[in-house]
Amino acid sequence: MKSRLTKHMNRYFNGTVEICISGSNAERFLNLCQFQEIPLRDIRRDGSRYRAFLPAKDYFRLRPVIKKTGICPGITRRLGLPFALKRNRKRKILFLCALMFAGMIYYLSGFLWRIEFDGCYYHTVEQLREFLRQEGIMEGIRKSGADCNAIEECIRSNFTDIGWVSAELTGTVMKIHIKETRMPSMSAEQIVDGYGNTWEEETGHIVAAKDGVVTQITVKSGVAQVRVGDVVKEGDILIRGVLEIVGDDGNVTARHPVLADGTVRLKCVEDYSQAVPLTYEKKVYTGKSRSGIKLEIFGRKIFSYNPSNYYQNCDIITETGQYCIGESFYLPLVCEKTTVMEYTLTAETRTKNEAELAADQLLLRYLEEKKRGGAVILEKRLTPRFTKTECVLEGLLIFDESAWKYRRIKSDEWRQENGDEHNTDNNGYTSGIREKDIRGV
């Protein structure tokens, strides 16, 4: 999306006229312009007349509207570069400079000045941009040196998780569209629990992270210790990470620790409490502001002015735009505008309705975070409570979520001790030998 600064620059180079609309059908004139998508902007009323700005190239599109309404808008002002050149057409030096400028634009049109990416999820734009830079594809190279087919093949061969690539060169911008075969997720080599926390060890139990009722359990590795409908407490083992080997006589001959794996969901009840103060500081802008500007051409700074002595309380807003002629003719001219706006803090008091609304907004934000973690909201039992200084929204929230985590397996949970310490054939291994063999499993 183009920045506001870029739009202003386009308006200047293309030219703008200010028109005056008067008559009994002025409102109909404006409605017809909107219906025919004629871009009138900054429409304002001046007594019985209307004034508006219109791109110079769209002025002659008003003819059908003029015939229907009988209103011929007059031009009150002409703004922009085309009208400035017309006013100064007798100045030969200015005309020569205009020719040089046109020649420079034509020369710059043979280079690539912008690279855009679309469809990046797992791989970042910075990562792909750095890869292309290593391959010699960057802003500032000639368009003849940017082979779209070669770029597509290069990306596919070096990123195996990118299944489809399309590169197109339009104007001075290259647009690269990609489709990945995997979305953002943990690496397949990483083990995570129900909350997305990484588990570094090779073995472990799956235990309950909260009190709740089991609503779903599937086992890929390990032994399930609960069933759907069982009530569990925090720390209870849900999937045991120890496998037992049973002999022909029905006795356990060995135990092997493994990493429990599966899916477990619990119905959990959570105590919720969120306080909102009745008094707060409101930000009020004073209307005072300062602006600074920075210009870059060919990646080098040529001018910079930053407003000094910032206000004690202020917001700093930065707008960056790369100049573009039309839709895809980008030039190596980047402008960055910094605006510093002063504000003061005033003490305000919320009404009960405003405090409840603020508490509800905090609740919605919290529930959105839980949804992103995979939780399903089953029920809300919340009531607001007011004190002298705050509004407290409290009660119970009931979720269906993956409330489980890993727990380390203790050595006494899988080691077998023999009754006769001198007999090494009873279970086939001594304690030390058995530990060595299990580590090799």
Side-chain angles (χ1 to χ4, degrees), residues 191 199-206 241-242 256-260 406-410 414 438 441:
I191 305 300
W199 179 253
E200 301 291 346
E201 300 190 18
E202 298 180 355
T203 61
H205 297 301
I206 287 181
V242 176
H256 297 311
V258 297
L259 181 65
Y406 281 105
R407 197 199 76 185
R408 184 176 300 172
I409 300 176
K410 300 177 182 179
W414 60 271
I438 290 175
V441 173

mmCIF file with all atom_site columns, all heavy atoms in Angstrom, residues 191 199-206 241-242 256-260 406-410 414 438 441:
data_model
loop_
_atom_site.group_PDB
_atom_site.id
_atom_site.type_symbol
_atom_site.label_atom_id
_atom_site.label_alt_id
_atom_site.label_comp_id
_atom_site.label_asym_id
_atom_site.label_entity_id
_atom_site.label_seq_id
_atom_site.pdbx_PDB_ins_code
_atom_site.Cartn_x
_atom_site.Cartn_y
_atom_site.Cartn_z
_atom_site.occupancy
_atom_site.B_iso_or_equiv
_atom_site.pdbx_formal_charge
_atom_site.auth_seq_id
_atom_site.auth_comp_id
_atom_site.auth_asym_id
_atom_site.auth_atom_id
_atom_site.pdbx_PDB_model_num
ATOM 1   N N   . ILE A 1 191 ? 10.446 -31.155 20.401 1.00 0.00 ? 191 ILE A N   1
ATOM 2   C CA  . ILE A 1 191 ? 9.312  -31.724 21.100 1.00 0.00 ? 191 ILE A CA  1
ATOM 3   C C   . ILE A 1 191 ? 8.713  -30.631 21.967 1.00 0.00 ? 191 ILE A C   1
ATOM 4   O O   . ILE A 1 191 ? 9.422  -29.978 22.729 1.00 0.00 ? 191 ILE A O   1
ATOM 5   C CB  . ILE A 1 191 ? 9.740  -32.922 21.964 1.00 0.00 ? 191 ILE A CB  1
ATOM 6   C CG1 . ILE A 1 191 ? 10.486 -33.973 21.102 1.00 0.00 ? 191 ILE A CG1 1
ATOM 7   C CG2 . ILE A 1 191 ? 8.536  -33.544 22.633 1.00 0.00 ? 191 ILE A CG2 1
ATOM 8   C CD1 . ILE A 1 191 ? 9.669  -34.536 19.980 1.00 0.00 ? 191 ILE A CD1 1
ATOM 9   N N   . TRP A 1 199 ? 10.583 -29.326 24.987 1.00 0.00 ? 199 TRP A N   1
ATOM 10  C CA  . TRP A 1 199 ? 11.087 -30.342 25.920 1.00 0.00 ? 199 TRP A CA  1
ATOM 11  C C   . TRP A 1 199 ? 12.393 -30.877 25.358 1.00 0.00 ? 199 TRP A C   1
ATOM 12  O O   . TRP A 1 199 ? 12.438 -31.410 24.256 1.00 0.00 ? 199 TRP A O   1
ATOM 13  C CB  . TRP A 1 199 ? 10.064 -31.464 26.079 1.00 0.00 ? 199 TRP A CB  1
ATOM 14  C CG  . TRP A 1 199 ? 10.496 -32.575 26.995 1.00 0.00 ? 199 TRP A CG  1
ATOM 15  C CD1 . TRP A 1 199 ? 10.872 -33.834 26.623 1.00 0.00 ? 199 TRP A CD1 1
ATOM 16  C CD2 . TRP A 1 199 ? 10.585 -32.541 28.419 1.00 0.00 ? 199 TRP A CD2 1
ATOM 17  N NE1 . TRP A 1 199 ? 11.191 -34.585 27.722 1.00 0.00 ? 199 TRP A NE1 1
ATOM 18  C CE2 . TRP A 1 199 ? 11.029 -33.815 28.852 1.00 0.00 ? 199 TRP A CE2 1
ATOM 19  C CE3 . TRP A 1 199 ? 10.350 -31.556 29.374 1.00 0.00 ? 199 TRP A CE3 1
ATOM 20  C CZ2 . TRP A 1 199 ? 11.226 -34.116 30.195 1.00 0.00 ? 199 TRP A CZ2 1
ATOM 21  C CZ3 . TRP A 1 199 ? 10.531 -31.868 30.717 1.00 0.00 ? 199 TRP A CZ3 1
ATOM 22  C CH2 . TRP A 1 199 ? 10.968 -33.126 31.114 1.00 0.00 ? 199 TRP A CH2 1
ATOM 23  N N   . GLU A 1 200 ? 13.493 -30.728 26.107 1.00 0.00 ? 200 GLU A N   1
ATOM 24  C CA  . GLU A 1 200 ? 14.827 -31.024 25.602 1.00 0.00 ? 200 GLU A CA  1
ATOM 25  C C   . GLU A 1 200 ? 15.255 -32.469 25.804 1.00 0.00 ? 200 GLU A C   1
ATOM 26  O O   . GLU A 1 200 ? 16.155 -32.952 25.135 1.00 0.00 ? 200 GLU A O   1
ATOM 27  C CB  . GLU A 1 200 ? 15.857 -30.103 26.285 1.00 0.00 ? 200 GLU A CB  1
ATOM 28  C CG  . GLU A 1 200 ? 15.599 -28.607 26.087 1.00 0.00 ? 200 GLU A CG  1
ATOM 29  C CD  . GLU A 1 200 ? 15.823 -28.168 24.660 1.00 0.00 ? 200 GLU A CD  1
ATOM 30  O OE1 . GLU A 1 200 ? 16.435 -28.944 23.885 1.00 0.00 ? 200 GLU A OE1 1
ATOM 31  O OE2 . GLU A 1 200 ? 15.371 -27.062 24.301 1.00 0.00 ? 200 GLU A OE2 1
ATOM 32  N N   . GLU A 1 201 ? 14.626 -33.199 26.726 1.00 0.00 ? 201 GLU A N   1
ATOM 33  C CA  . GLU A 1 201 ? 15.098 -34.543 27.064 1.00 0.00 ? 201 GLU A CA  1
ATOM 34  C C   . GLU A 1 201 ? 14.500 -35.591 26.132 1.00 0.00 ? 201 GLU A C   1
ATOM 35  O O   . GLU A 1 201 ? 13.507 -35.346 25.436 1.00 0.00 ? 201 GLU A O   1
ATOM 36  C CB  . GLU A 1 201 ? 14.761 -34.856 28.526 1.00 0.00 ? 201 GLU A CB  1
ATOM 37  C CG  . GLU A 1 201 ? 15.402 -33.865 29.502 1.00 0.00 ? 201 GLU A CG  1
ATOM 38  C CD  . GLU A 1 201 ? 15.259 -34.326 30.938 1.00 0.00 ? 201 GLU A CD  1
ATOM 39  O OE1 . GLU A 1 201 ? 14.995 -35.534 31.154 1.00 0.00 ? 201 GLU A OE1 1
ATOM 40  O OE2 . GLU A 1 201 ? 15.424 -33.494 31.834 1.00 0.00 ? 201 GLU A OE2 1
ATOM 41  N N   . GLU A 1 202 ? 15.094 -36.776 26.142 1.00 0.00 ? 202 GLU A N   1
ATOM 42  C CA  . GLU A 1 202 ? 14.687 -37.841 25.237 1.00 0.00 ? 202 GLU A CA  1
ATOM 43  C C   . GLU A 1 202 ? 13.583 -38.718 25.802 1.00 0.00 ? 202 GLU A C   1
ATOM 44  O O   . GLU A 1 202 ? 12.998 -39.509 25.069 1.00 0.00 ? 202 GLU A O   1
ATOM 45  C CB  . GLU A 1 202 ? 15.896 -38.714 24.886 1.00 0.00 ? 202 GLU A CB  1
ATOM 46  C CG  . GLU A 1 202 ? 16.998 -37.954 24.148 1.00 0.00 ? 202 GLU A CG  1
ATOM 47  C CD  . GLU A 1 202 ? 18.174 -38.853 23.817 1.00 0.00 ? 202 GLU A CD  1
ATOM 48  O OE1 . GLU A 1 202 ? 18.142 -40.019 24.249 1.00 0.00 ? 202 GLU A OE1 1
ATOM 49  O OE2 . GLU A 1 202 ? 19.107 -38.393 23.145 1.00 0.00 ? 202 GLU A OE2 1
ATOM 50  N N   . THR A 1 203 ? 13.305 -38.619 27.096 1.00 0.00 ? 203 THR A N   1
ATOM 51  C CA  . THR A 1 203 ? 12.241 -39.408 27.724 1.00 0.00 ? 203 THR A CA  1
ATOM 52  C C   . THR A 1 203 ? 11.403 -38.484 28.601 1.00 0.00 ? 203 THR A C   1
ATOM 53  O O   . THR A 1 203 ? 11.824 -37.371 28.944 1.00 0.00 ? 203 THR A O   1
ATOM 54  C CB  . THR A 1 203 ? 12.818 -40.545 28.579 1.00 0.00 ? 203 THR A CB  1
ATOM 55  O OG1 . THR A 1 203 ? 13.628 -39.979 29.629 1.00 0.00 ? 203 THR A OG1 1
ATOM 56  C CG2 . THR A 1 203 ? 13.676 -41.479 27.746 1.00 0.00 ? 203 THR A CG2 1
ATOM 57  N N   . GLY A 1 204 ? 10.210 -38.952 28.977 1.00 0.00 ? 204 GLY A N   1
ATOM 58  C CA  . GLY A 1 204 ? 9.377  -38.147 29.851 1.00 0.00 ? 204 GLY A CA  1
ATOM 59  C C   . GLY A 1 204 ? 7.948  -38.640 29.899 1.00 0.00 ? 204 GLY A C   1
ATOM 60  O O   . GLY A 1 204 ? 7.461  -39.301 28.978 1.00 0.00 ? 204 GLY A O   1
ATOM 61  N N   . HIS A 1 205 ? 7.269  -38.335 31.041 1.00 0.00 ? 205 HIS A N   1
ATOM 62  C CA  . HIS A 1 205 ? 5.842  -38.596 31.192 1.00 0.00 ? 205 HIS A CA  1
ATOM 63  C C   . HIS A 1 205 ? 5.054  -37.388 30.700 1.00 0.00 ? 205 HIS A C   1
ATOM 64  O O   . HIS A 1 205 ? 5.535  -36.258 30.727 1.00 0.00 ? 205 HIS A O   1
ATOM 65  C CB  . HIS A 1 205 ? 5.473  -38.823 32.667 1.00 0.00 ? 205 HIS A CB  1
ATOM 66  C CG  . HIS A 1 205 ? 6.114  -40.017 33.294 1.00 0.00 ? 205 HIS A CG  1
ATOM 67  N ND1 . HIS A 1 205 ? 5.941  -41.303 32.830 1.00 0.00 ? 205 HIS A ND1 1
ATOM 68  C CD2 . HIS A 1 205 ? 6.921  -40.118 34.394 1.00 0.00 ? 205 HIS A CD2 1
ATOM 69  C CE1 . HIS A 1 205 ? 6.609  -42.149 33.616 1.00 0.00 ? 205 HIS A CE1 1
ATOM 70  N NE2 . HIS A 1 205 ? 7.220  -41.442 34.567 1.00 0.00 ? 205 HIS A NE2 1
ATOM 71  N N   . ILE A 1 206 ? 3.824  -37.632 30.290 1.00 0.00 ? 206 ILE A N   1
ATOM 72  C CA  . ILE A 1 206 ? 2.870  -36.541 30.055 1.00 0.00 ? 206 ILE A CA  1
ATOM 73  C C   . ILE A 1 206 ? 1.991  -36.452 31.281 1.00 0.00 ? 206 ILE A C   1
ATOM 74  O O   . ILE A 1 206 ? 1.310  -37.424 31.646 1.00 0.00 ? 206 ILE A O   1
ATOM 75  C CB  . ILE A 1 206 ? 2.030  -36.792 28.789 1.00 0.00 ? 206 ILE A CB  1
ATOM 76  C CG1 . ILE A 1 206 ? 2.887  -36.591 27.535 1.00 0.00 ? 206 ILE A CG1 1
ATOM 77  C CG2 . ILE A 1 206 ? 0.824  -35.863 28.749 1.00 0.00 ? 206 ILE A CG2 1
ATOM 78  C CD1 . ILE A 1 206 ? 2.131  -36.805 26.233 1.00 0.00 ? 206 ILE A CD1 1
ATOM 79  N N   . GLY A 1 241 ? 5.499  -42.682 30.452 1.00 0.00 ? 241 GLY A N   1
ATOM 80  C CA  . GLY A 1 241 ? 6.620  -42.842 29.537 1.00 0.00 ? 241 GLY A CA  1
ATOM 81  C C   . GLY A 1 241 ? 7.509  -44.015 29.876 1.00 0.00 ? 241 GLY A C   1
ATOM 82  O O   . GLY A 1 241 ? 8.726  -43.938 29.669 1.00 0.00 ? 241 GLY A O   1
ATOM 83  N N   . VAL A 1 242 ? 6.955  -45.098 30.415 1.00 0.00 ? 242 VAL A N   1
ATOM 84  C CA  . VAL A 1 242 ? 7.722  -46.307 30.743 1.00 0.00 ? 242 VAL A CA  1
ATOM 85  C C   . VAL A 1 242 ? 6.993  -47.503 30.144 1.00 0.00 ? 242 VAL A C   1
ATOM 86  O O   . VAL A 1 242 ? 5.813  -47.732 30.430 1.00 0.00 ? 242 VAL A O   1
ATOM 87  C CB  . VAL A 1 242 ? 7.877  -46.488 32.265 1.00 0.00 ? 242 VAL A CB  1
ATOM 88  C CG1 . VAL A 1 242 ? 8.601  -47.800 32.569 1.00 0.00 ? 242 VAL A CG1 1
ATOM 89  C CG2 . VAL A 1 242 ? 8.637  -45.315 32.869 1.00 0.00 ? 242 VAL A CG2 1
ATOM 90  N N   . HIS A 1 256 ? 11.479 -50.019 30.019 1.00 0.00 ? 256 HIS A N   1
ATOM 91  C CA  . HIS A 1 256 ? 12.251 -49.107 29.186 1.00 0.00 ? 256 HIS A CA  1
ATOM 92  C C   . HIS A 1 256 ? 11.623 -47.705 29.216 1.00 0.00 ? 256 HIS A C   1
ATOM 93  O O   . HIS A 1 256 ? 10.430 -47.563 28.945 1.00 0.00 ? 256 HIS A O   1
ATOM 94  C CB  . HIS A 1 256 ? 12.297 -49.593 27.727 1.00 0.00 ? 256 HIS A CB  1
ATOM 95  C CG  . HIS A 1 256 ? 12.980 -50.908 27.556 1.00 0.00 ? 256 HIS A CG  1
ATOM 96  N ND1 . HIS A 1 256 ? 14.207 -51.187 28.102 1.00 0.00 ? 256 HIS A ND1 1
ATOM 97  C CD2 . HIS A 1 256 ? 12.584 -52.037 26.882 1.00 0.00 ? 256 HIS A CD2 1
ATOM 98  C CE1 . HIS A 1 256 ? 14.561 -52.407 27.765 1.00 0.00 ? 256 HIS A CE1 1
ATOM 99  N NE2 . HIS A 1 256 ? 13.590 -52.954 27.036 1.00 0.00 ? 256 HIS A NE2 1
ATOM 100 N N   . PRO A 1 257 ? 12.397 -46.693 29.546 1.00 0.00 ? 257 PRO A N   1
ATOM 101 C CA  . PRO A 1 257 ? 11.865 -45.325 29.493 1.00 0.00 ? 257 PRO A CA  1
ATOM 102 C C   . PRO A 1 257 ? 11.790 -44.828 28.046 1.00 0.00 ? 257 PRO A C   1
ATOM 103 O O   . PRO A 1 257 ? 12.714 -45.030 27.263 1.00 0.00 ? 257 PRO A O   1
ATOM 104 C CB  . PRO A 1 257 ? 12.874 -44.513 30.312 1.00 0.00 ? 257 PRO A CB  1
ATOM 105 C CG  . PRO A 1 257 ? 14.157 -45.245 30.153 1.00 0.00 ? 257 PRO A CG  1
ATOM 106 C CD  . PRO A 1 257 ? 13.794 -46.705 30.050 1.00 0.00 ? 257 PRO A CD  1
ATOM 107 N N   . VAL A 1 258 ? 10.689 -44.188 27.683 1.00 0.00 ? 258 VAL A N   1
ATOM 108 C CA  . VAL A 1 258 ? 10.496 -43.615 26.356 1.00 0.00 ? 258 VAL A CA  1
ATOM 109 C C   . VAL A 1 258 ? 9.920  -42.209 26.537 1.00 0.00 ? 258 VAL A C   1
ATOM 110 O O   . VAL A 1 258 ? 9.603  -41.786 27.648 1.00 0.00 ? 258 VAL A O   1
ATOM 111 C CB  . VAL A 1 258 ? 9.546  -44.477 25.492 1.00 0.00 ? 258 VAL A CB  1
ATOM 112 C CG1 . VAL A 1 258 ? 10.119 -45.853 25.252 1.00 0.00 ? 258 VAL A CG1 1
ATOM 113 C CG2 . VAL A 1 258 ? 8.167  -44.569 26.140 1.00 0.00 ? 258 VAL A CG2 1
ATOM 114 N N   . LEU A 1 259 ? 9.792  -41.523 25.425 1.00 0.00 ? 259 LEU A N   1
ATOM 115 C CA  . LEU A 1 259 ? 9.150  -40.205 25.451 1.00 0.00 ? 259 LEU A CA  1
ATOM 116 C C   . LEU A 1 259 ? 7.674  -40.376 25.127 1.00 0.00 ? 259 LEU A C   1
ATOM 117 O O   . LEU A 1 259 ? 7.313  -40.782 24.027 1.00 0.00 ? 259 LEU A O   1
ATOM 118 C CB  . LEU A 1 259 ? 9.800  -39.261 24.433 1.00 0.00 ? 259 LEU A CB  1
ATOM 119 C CG  . LEU A 1 259 ? 9.226  -37.840 24.398 1.00 0.00 ? 259 LEU A CG  1
ATOM 120 C CD1 . LEU A 1 259 ? 9.486  -37.120 25.713 1.00 0.00 ? 259 LEU A CD1 1
ATOM 121 C CD2 . LEU A 1 259 ? 9.814  -37.051 23.242 1.00 0.00 ? 259 LEU A CD2 1
ATOM 122 N N   . ALA A 1 260 ? 6.835  -40.116 26.117 1.00 0.00 ? 260 ALA A N   1
ATOM 123 C CA  . ALA A 1 260 ? 5.393  -40.234 25.897 1.00 0.00 ? 260 ALA A CA  1
ATOM 124 C C   . ALA A 1 260 ? 4.954  -39.245 24.822 1.00 0.00 ? 260 ALA A C   1
ATOM 125 O O   . ALA A 1 260 ? 5.425  -38.112 24.759 1.00 0.00 ? 260 ALA A O   1
ATOM 126 C CB  . ALA A 1 260 ? 4.651  -39.978 27.199 1.00 0.00 ? 260 ALA A CB  1
ATOM 127 N N   . TYR A 1 406 ? 5.302  -32.033 30.082 1.00 0.00 ? 406 TYR A N   1
ATOM 128 C CA  . TYR A 1 406 ? 6.191  -33.178 30.295 1.00 0.00 ? 406 TYR A CA  1
ATOM 129 C C   . TYR A 1 406 ? 6.782  -33.141 31.700 1.00 0.00 ? 406 TYR A C   1
ATOM 130 O O   . TYR A 1 406 ? 6.973  -32.068 32.286 1.00 0.00 ? 406 TYR A O   1
ATOM 131 C CB  . TYR A 1 406 ? 7.319  -33.180 29.267 1.00 0.00 ? 406 TYR A CB  1
ATOM 132 C CG  . TYR A 1 406 ? 6.904  -33.713 27.913 1.00 0.00 ? 406 TYR A CG  1
ATOM 133 C CD1 . TYR A 1 406 ? 6.705  -32.851 26.836 1.00 0.00 ? 406 TYR A CD1 1
ATOM 134 C CD2 . TYR A 1 406 ? 6.699  -35.075 27.721 1.00 0.00 ? 406 TYR A CD2 1
ATOM 135 C CE1 . TYR A 1 406 ? 6.329  -33.336 25.591 1.00 0.00 ? 406 TYR A CE1 1
ATOM 136 C CE2 . TYR A 1 406 ? 6.323  -35.564 26.485 1.00 0.00 ? 406 TYR A CE2 1
ATOM 137 C CZ  . TYR A 1 406 ? 6.135  -34.694 25.432 1.00 0.00 ? 406 TYR A CZ  1
ATOM 138 O OH  . TYR A 1 406 ? 5.760  -35.186 24.217 1.00 0.00 ? 406 TYR A OH  1
ATOM 139 N N   . ARG A 1 407 ? 7.061  -34.352 32.222 1.00 0.00 ? 407 ARG A N   1
ATOM 140 C CA  . ARG A 1 407 ? 7.751  -34.486 33.502 1.00 0.00 ? 407 ARG A CA  1
ATOM 141 C C   . ARG A 1 407 ? 8.851  -35.516 33.373 1.00 0.00 ? 407 ARG A C   1
ATOM 142 O O   . ARG A 1 407 ? 8.677  -36.537 32.685 1.00 0.00 ? 407 ARG A O   1
ATOM 143 C CB  . ARG A 1 407 ? 6.766  -34.905 34.595 1.00 0.00 ? 407 ARG A CB  1
ATOM 144 C CG  . ARG A 1 407 ? 7.303  -34.662 36.005 1.00 0.00 ? 407 ARG A CG  1
ATOM 145 C CD  . ARG A 1 407 ? 6.554  -35.484 37.018 1.00 0.00 ? 407 ARG A CD  1
ATOM 146 N NE  . ARG A 1 407 ? 6.970  -36.895 36.964 1.00 0.00 ? 407 ARG A NE  1
ATOM 147 C CZ  . ARG A 1 407 ? 6.416  -37.860 37.671 1.00 0.00 ? 407 ARG A CZ  1
ATOM 148 N NH1 . ARG A 1 407 ? 5.394  -37.612 38.452 1.00 0.00 ? 407 ARG A NH1 1
ATOM 149 N NH2 . ARG A 1 407 ? 6.860  -39.102 37.577 1.00 0.00 ? 407 ARG A NH2 1
ATOM 150 N N   . ARG A 1 408 ? 9.976  -35.232 33.995 1.00 0.00 ? 408 ARG A N   1
ATOM 151 C CA  . ARG A 1 408 ? 11.120 -36.138 33.902 1.00 0.00 ? 408 ARG A CA  1
ATOM 152 C C   . ARG A 1 408 ? 10.799 -37.481 34.563 1.00 0.00 ? 408 ARG A C   1
ATOM 153 O O   . ARG A 1 408 ? 10.112 -37.552 35.587 1.00 0.00 ? 408 ARG A O   1
ATOM 154 C CB  . ARG A 1 408 ? 12.323 -35.483 34.590 1.00 0.00 ? 408 ARG A CB  1
ATOM 155 C CG  . ARG A 1 408 ? 13.613 -36.282 34.485 1.00 0.00 ? 408 ARG A CG  1
ATOM 156 C CD  . ARG A 1 408 ? 14.753 -35.498 35.107 1.00 0.00 ? 408 ARG A CD  1
ATOM 157 N NE  . ARG A 1 408 ? 14.943 -34.222 34.417 1.00 0.00 ? 408 ARG A NE  1
ATOM 158 C CZ  . ARG A 1 408 ? 15.763 -33.279 34.848 1.00 0.00 ? 408 ARG A CZ  1
ATOM 159 N NH1 . ARG A 1 408 ? 16.446 -33.447 35.963 1.00 0.00 ? 408 ARG A NH1 1
ATOM 160 N NH2 . ARG A 1 408 ? 15.876 -32.160 34.162 1.00 0.00 ? 408 ARG A NH2 1
ATOM 161 N N   . ILE A 1 409 ? 11.314 -38.555 33.961 1.00 0.00 ? 409 ILE A N   1
ATOM 162 C CA  . ILE A 1 409 ? 11.128 -39.899 34.505 1.00 0.00 ? 409 ILE A CA  1
ATOM 163 C C   . ILE A 1 409 ? 12.221 -40.171 35.535 1.00 0.00 ? 409 ILE A C   1
ATOM 164 O O   . ILE A 1 409 ? 13.413 -40.039 35.231 1.00 0.00 ? 409 ILE A O   1
ATOM 165 C CB  . ILE A 1 409 ? 11.174 -40.959 33.390 1.00 0.00 ? 409 ILE A CB  1
ATOM 166 C CG1 . ILE A 1 409 ? 10.061 -40.701 32.367 1.00 0.00 ? 409 ILE A CG1 1
ATOM 167 C CG2 . ILE A 1 409 ? 11.043 -42.361 33.968 1.00 0.00 ? 409 ILE A CG2 1
ATOM 168 C CD1 . ILE A 1 409 ? 10.105 -41.638 31.184 1.00 0.00 ? 409 ILE A CD1 1
ATOM 169 N N   . LYS A 1 410 ? 11.812 -40.539 36.725 1.00 0.00 ? 410 LYS A N   1
ATOM 170 C CA  . LYS A 1 410 ? 12.784 -40.857 37.770 1.00 0.00 ? 410 LYS A CA  1
ATOM 171 C C   . LYS A 1 410 ? 13.389 -42.238 37.527 1.00 0.00 ? 410 LYS A C   1
ATOM 172 O O   . LYS A 1 410 ? 12.756 -43.120 36.933 1.00 0.00 ? 410 LYS A O   1
ATOM 173 C CB  . LYS A 1 410 ? 12.115 -40.800 39.144 1.00 0.00 ? 410 LYS A CB  1
ATOM 174 C CG  . LYS A 1 410 ? 11.527 -39.431 39.474 1.00 0.00 ? 410 LYS A CG  1
ATOM 175 C CD  . LYS A 1 410 ? 10.823 -39.455 40.818 1.00 0.00 ? 410 LYS A CD  1
ATOM 176 C CE  . LYS A 1 410 ? 10.188 -38.114 41.133 1.00 0.00 ? 410 LYS A CE  1
ATOM 177 N NZ  . LYS A 1 410 ? 9.480  -38.130 42.438 1.00 0.00 ? 410 LYS A NZ  1
ATOM 178 N N   . TRP A 1 414 ? 11.751 -46.975 36.421 1.00 0.00 ? 414 TRP A N   1
ATOM 179 C CA  . TRP A 1 414 ? 11.988 -47.963 35.367 1.00 0.00 ? 414 TRP A CA  1
ATOM 180 C C   . TRP A 1 414 ? 13.069 -48.983 35.727 1.00 0.00 ? 414 TRP A C   1
ATOM 181 O O   . TRP A 1 414 ? 13.130 -50.046 35.120 1.00 0.00 ? 414 TRP A O   1
ATOM 182 C CB  . TRP A 1 414 ? 12.358 -47.289 34.048 1.00 0.00 ? 414 TRP A CB  1
ATOM 183 C CG  . TRP A 1 414 ? 13.605 -46.427 34.095 1.00 0.00 ? 414 TRP A CG  1
ATOM 184 C CD1 . TRP A 1 414 ? 13.675 -45.126 34.408 1.00 0.00 ? 414 TRP A CD1 1
ATOM 185 C CD2 . TRP A 1 414 ? 14.940 -46.843 33.823 1.00 0.00 ? 414 TRP A CD2 1
ATOM 186 N NE1 . TRP A 1 414 ? 14.965 -44.673 34.343 1.00 0.00 ? 414 TRP A NE1 1
ATOM 187 C CE2 . TRP A 1 414 ? 15.767 -45.713 33.971 1.00 0.00 ? 414 TRP A CE2 1
ATOM 188 C CE3 . TRP A 1 414 ? 15.533 -48.052 33.449 1.00 0.00 ? 414 TRP A CE3 1
ATOM 189 C CZ2 . TRP A 1 414 ? 17.149 -45.754 33.779 1.00 0.00 ? 414 TRP A CZ2 1
ATOM 190 C CZ3 . TRP A 1 414 ? 16.893 -48.090 33.255 1.00 0.00 ? 414 TRP A CZ3 1
ATOM 191 C CH2 . TRP A 1 414 ? 17.693 -46.949 33.424 1.00 0.00 ? 414 TRP A CH2 1
ATOM 192 N N   . ILE A 1 438 ? 19.928 -50.102 28.403 1.00 0.00 ? 438 ILE A N   1
ATOM 193 C CA  . ILE A 1 438 ? 18.742 -49.288 28.136 1.00 0.00 ? 438 ILE A CA  1
ATOM 194 C C   . ILE A 1 438 ? 19.120 -47.998 27.476 1.00 0.00 ? 438 ILE A C   1
ATOM 195 O O   . ILE A 1 438 ? 18.433 -47.495 26.602 1.00 0.00 ? 438 ILE A O   1
ATOM 196 C CB  . ILE A 1 438 ? 17.960 -49.043 29.443 1.00 0.00 ? 438 ILE A CB  1
ATOM 197 C CG1 . ILE A 1 438 ? 17.325 -50.345 29.891 1.00 0.00 ? 438 ILE A CG1 1
ATOM 198 C CG2 . ILE A 1 438 ? 16.885 -47.970 29.267 1.00 0.00 ? 438 ILE A CG2 1
ATOM 199 C CD1 . ILE A 1 438 ? 16.632 -50.267 31.228 1.00 0.00 ? 438 ILE A CD1 1
ATOM 200 N N   . VAL A 1 441 ? 19.172 -48.343 23.878 1.00 0.00 ? 441 VAL A N   1
ATOM 201 C CA  . VAL A 1 441 ? 17.923 -48.673 23.187 1.00 0.00 ? 441 VAL A CA  1
ATOM 202 C C   . VAL A 1 441 ? 17.450 -47.441 22.409 1.00 0.00 ? 441 VAL A C   1
ATOM 203 O O   . VAL A 1 441 ? 17.424 -46.366 22.956 1.00 0.00 ? 441 VAL A O   1
ATOM 204 C CB  . VAL A 1 441 ? 16.847 -49.109 24.204 1.00 0.00 ? 441 VAL A CB  1
ATOM 205 C CG1 . VAL A 1 441 ? 15.503 -49.288 23.476 1.00 0.00 ? 441 VAL A CG1 1
ATOM 206 C CG2 . VAL A 1 441 ? 17.249 -50.373 24.864 1.00 0.00 ? 441 VAL A CG2 1
#
